[in-house]
């Protein structure tokens, strides 16, 4: 028989009052059943899992209504999704708070800068900058619906779908990214694969005993496919713009076919984010759709059909010159390798 917990036991387990439990019940967040004989409330394991989430969201100051929306649209058969949602909520909050803290630090530093006489100007510019970054981070959306594509993604790659043949050298590109990444790093190096998708790049690291790798993706369904294919691969829900890890964590960051889902403003913030979680001597290797510069894009377009161009314009192929400029702001060395007219690999260290 399913294990049952009385209200007092539950209150003890979570160090909360029984009143709080009754309050959540009254608000419709949790619905314990009643014993047929004595009519006492009882809670099941799945009630406890729900309660854990309710308490975490309350800690994040979420309203009762918002919590209700999150936990009622939940597919209870996928427990990992349940925790992924909480992971996302916590990381969003951390990112918001550290943006505010950085801005306050920036303002307070200005008080110690004796050369700086216009403190009000500094306050306004810092607040404006914080607001701009916050907006960019919050507004990124998956316009391509990767959740829907996840189950058939590997098949599309094999069939090289799309009008620009972008997958014709897929395996070769993943091999190259892997080879550049592992040059001079030993097997216990910490690696992050951003936009891991179904795990095809991470697979190369796992097969050669680089087991300290984490795959990050904003799509839960992609993560589910990757988990089924590579049960040993550690996976996390998260985005380029809000990488859910501490500063100076990784020796290597790799990514293939993912960076072009960010526009120029978003790319600048993603670069800052990648460098934040990368160790001082770490390396970034990205294989993706790019042009050398604006002029070479015009040249490439001359040989393409309208259909091919509109496929490119639906995404944000990088301009290598701009990427280089952005990385140079952080004094990073930058190399690029051309694979074909649309695909490049960049190496940053
Ligand atoms: C075309 S697939 C590439 C998957 C894999 N890297 C490969 O080479 O086959 C793009 C992947 O990037 C992920 N992605 C797109 N934008 C992202 C973002 N801003 N943050 C994290 N992942 C993102 C998508 O969810 C998708 O899984």
């Amino acid at each position: 028989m399913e294990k049952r917990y009385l209200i007092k036991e539950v209150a003890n387990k979570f160090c909360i009052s029984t009143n709080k439990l009754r309050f959540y019940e009254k608000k419709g967040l949790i619905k314990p059943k009643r014993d047929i004989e004595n009519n006492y409330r009882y809670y099941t394991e799945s009630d406890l899992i729900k309660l854990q989430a309710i308490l975490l969201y309350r800690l994040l100051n979420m309203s009762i209504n918002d919590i209700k929306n999150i936990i009622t649209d939940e597919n209870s058969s996928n427990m990992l999704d349940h925790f992924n949602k909480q992971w996302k909520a916590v990381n969003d909050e951390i990112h918001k708070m550290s943006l505010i803290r950085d801005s306050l630090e920036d303002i307070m530093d200005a008080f110690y800068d004796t050369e700086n006489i216009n403190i009000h100007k500094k306050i306004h510019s810092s607040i404006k900058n914080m607001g701009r970054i916050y907006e960019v981070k919050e507004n990124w959306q998956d316009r391509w619906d990767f959740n829907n594509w996840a189950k058939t993604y590997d098949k599309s790659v094999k069939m090289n779908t799309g009008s620009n043949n972008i997958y014709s050298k897929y395996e070769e590109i993943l091999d190259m990214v892997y080879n550049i990444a592992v040059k001079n790093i030993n097997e216990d190096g910490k690696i992050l694969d951003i936009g891991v998708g179904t795990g095809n790049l991470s697979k190369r690291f796992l097969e050669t005993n680089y087991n300290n790798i984490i795959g990050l993706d904003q799509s839960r369904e992609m993560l589910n496919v990757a988990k089924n294919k590579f049960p040993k691969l550690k996976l996390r829900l998260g985005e380029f713009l809000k990488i859910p890890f501490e500063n100076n964590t990784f020796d290597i960051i790799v990514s293939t076919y993912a960076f072009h889902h960010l526009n120029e403003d978003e790319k600048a913030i993603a670069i800052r984010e990648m460098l934040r979680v990368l160790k001082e001597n770490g390396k970034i290797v990205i294989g993706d759709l790019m042009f050398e510069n604006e002029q070479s894009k015009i040249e490439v377009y001359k040989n393409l059909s309208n259909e091919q161009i509109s496929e490119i314009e639906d995404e944000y192929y990088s301009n290598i010159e701009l990427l280089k400029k952005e990385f140079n702001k952080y004094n990073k060395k930058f190399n690029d390798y051309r694979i074909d007219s649309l695909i490049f690999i960049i190496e940053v260290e």
Side-chain angles (χ1 to χ4, degrees), residues 24-25 28-33 42-43 47 50 72:
Y24 293 147
E25 182 178 338
L29 291 181
I30 194 158
K31 295 184 186 93
K33 296 196 186 72
Y42 70 87
Y43 297 78
D47 289 328
K50 211 172 221 184
T72 46

Side-chain angles (χ1 to χ4, degrees), residues 245-333:
F245 299 104
E246 294 300 314
N247 299 353
N248 305 314
T249 303
F250 297 97
D251 297 284
I252 302 279
I253 296 178
V254 289
S255 180
T256 47
Y257 290 88
F259 202 48
H260 65 283
H261 298 102
L262 305 173
N263 67 28
E264 290 307 328
D265 283 349
E266 291 160 348
K267 281 193 179 103
I269 292 173
I271 286 172
R272 205 169 84 153
E273 266 298 276
M274 286 190 280
L275 293 174
R276 178 183 68 77
V277 296
L278 191 70
K279 289 182 187 164
E280 191 67 33
N281 301 319
K283 186 196 283 189
I284 300 174
V285 189
I286 298 177
D288 201 20
L289 301 154
M290 307 184 188
F291 295 106
E292 259 165 292
N293 50 38
E294 220 21 64
Q295 185 54 38
S296 70
K297 175 174 165 179
I298 295 169
E299 294 301 320
V300 173
Y301 273 19
K302 281 183 188 158
N303 298 317
L304 299 181
S305 66
N306 286 343
E307 186 194 356
Q308 287 174 306
I309 294 175
S310 77
E311 203 178 290
I312 294 175
E313 296 281 316
D314 180 48
E315 296 171 332
Y316 310 103
Y317 287 30
S318 295
N319 173 328
I320 293 186
E321 254 176 35
L322 295 183
L323 286 188
K324 193 172 177 179
K325 234 186 222 165
E326 199 59 39
F327 278 111
N328 283 346
K329 284 186 193 162
Y330 302 91
N331 297 322
K332 292 287 166 190
K333 274 202 290 182

Side-chain angles (χ1 to χ4, degrees), residues 105-126:
E105 208 175 359
D106 193 34
I107 291 170
M108 288 189 301
D109 278 351
F111 283 92
Y112 297 92
D113 179 359
T114 47
E115 312 264 297
N116 188 354
I117 37 164
N118 199 340
I119 198 79
H120 291 286
K121 200 168 158 200
K122 178 73 200 170
I123 294 171
H124 291 164
S125 75
S126 188

Side-chain angles (χ1 to χ4, degrees), residues 140 146 153 170 195 197 217-219 222 238-240 256-258 262:
W140 184 87
F146 283 104
Y153 176 73
Y170 181 75
D217 206 288
Q218 58 84 34
S219 157
M222 284 284 187
E239 296 171 32
F240 266 113
T256 47
Y257 290 88
L262 305 173

Side-chain angles (χ1 to χ4, degrees), residues 166-206:
I166 60 166
Y167 290 114
S168 59
K169 294 191 179 149
Y170 181 75
E171 300 294 336
E172 192 184 316
I173 289 156
L174 269 51
D175 282 344
M176 274 185 79
V177 167
Y178 161 79
N179 282 318
I180 297 172
V182 295
K183 221 172 29 185
N184 306 328
I185 125 155
N186 47 28
E187 285 171 4
D188 55 6
K190 257 197 124 175
I191 304 161
L192 178 66
D193 178 358
I194 310 187
V196 61
T198 59
N200 298 329
L201 175 62
S202 287
K203 167 184 163 212
R204 282 151 165 90
F205 292 88
L206 291 177

